[in-house]
Amino acid sequence: MAIFEIKKYGDPILREKAKVILKVDDGIKKLACNMLETMYSAHGVGLAAPQIGVSLRLCIIDVDLNKKSPSVMINPVIVSCDENKISGREGCLSFPGFYENVKRHDGIVVQYTNLNGEELEIEVQSLFSIAIQHEVDHLDAKLFIDYLPEWKRRFIEKKIKRNRNAGNW
Ligand SMILES: [Zn+2]
């Protein structure tokens, strides 16, 4: 297994729509293992393949503090959403140090393929649901700052630019 460098905001791959995975082969399994190791070492609860520079529709999520039940989702598709929205403080491994409130659907139904190549459909809520929505957004080139008011997004971008100029990004 290997720990990858996590791409930060500003890397063009984060704004690329990721490609559908056609076959769950050893390469995909290895990618998932490396992503898990990378996510846990960065203390994250979710990671999408584009964040380590691989433009494929694969994401991993583990909102359990014990870090024992990760979900590996291949080609996830959100097929339905609750009307009800909840607001929660979100961060992103591609935006180290930034946390903002984002409104998302409480309950969703998601279809995906697991590492055994089985197609599954699950209904989830709250934290797990929010994490899936965040990661599926990554696969569609959407980032959590896109939900913020423009002034706030500009403020964050300015701060990141300052960090970058100082060599801290
Ligand atoms: Zn993220």
Side-chain angles (χ1 to χ4, degrees):
M1 294 215 279
I3 293 172
F4 283 85
E5 182 208 339
I6 297 173
K7 305 289 180 189
K8 294 194 185 87
Y9 179 64
D11 191 300
I13 200 162
L14 297 176
R15 289 302 192 184
E16 262 176 48
K17 205 172 145 83
K19 290 177 207 74
V20 169
I21 292 170
L22 300 174
K23 195 171 170 237
V24 184
D25 57 15
D26 287 348
I28 295 297
K29 285 175 189 164
K30 196 175 165 198
L31 173 65
C33 282
N34 289 333
M35 281 173 64
L36 284 168
E37 201 176 5
T38 302
M39 179 181 78
Y40 288 139
S41 87
H43 307 289
V45 296
L47 186 70
Q51 290 181 281
I52 57 157
V54 179
S55 195
L56 289 175
R57 301 189 78 80
L58 192 159
C59 63
I60 56 166
I61 291 158
D62 192 351
V63 293
D64 179 23
L65 288 176
N66 297 320
K67 305 288 179 205
K68 279 182 183 159
S69 51
S71 296
V72 175
M73 296 187 168
I74 296 161
N75 302 329
V77 177
I78 295 168
V79 288
S80 70
C81 309
D82 254 13
E83 289 286 296
N84 188 31
K85 287 199 171 181
I86 49 173
S87 181
R89 219 163 131 76
E90 271 181 44
C92 177
L93 292 176
S94 296
F95 290 81
F98 290 91
Y99 299 91
E100 294 292 337
N101 280 319
V102 176
K103 246 189 193 173
R104 296 198 189 261
H105 301 284
D106 186 4
I108 58 165
V109 175
V110 61
Q111 289 177 347
Y112 66 97
T113 302
N114 69 12
L115 276 182
N116 298 321
E118 298 159 331
E119 283 176 35
L120 305 171
E121 181 177 291
I122 54 169
E123 194 177 342
V124 295
Q125 272 166 326
S126 65
L127 200 55
F128 192 23
S129 165
I130 287 173
I132 293 171
Q133 290 170 73
H134 180 115
E135 299 311 327
V136 171
D137 271 355
H138 272 299
L139 305 180
D140 290 325
K142 194 164 181 178
L143 301 169
F144 83 123
I145 58 161
D146 299 346
Y147 293 91
L148 305 176
E150 201 181 331
W151 67 268
K152 203 172 242 181
R153 219 166 52 230
R154 285 221 183 118
F155 180 74
I156 290 172
E157 277 171 355
K158 222 181 262 176
K159 265 187 156 174
I160 289 174
K161 203 174 169 188
R162 225 179 294 147
N163 286 344
R164 196 180 289 129
N165 290 341
N168 298 326
W169 193 261

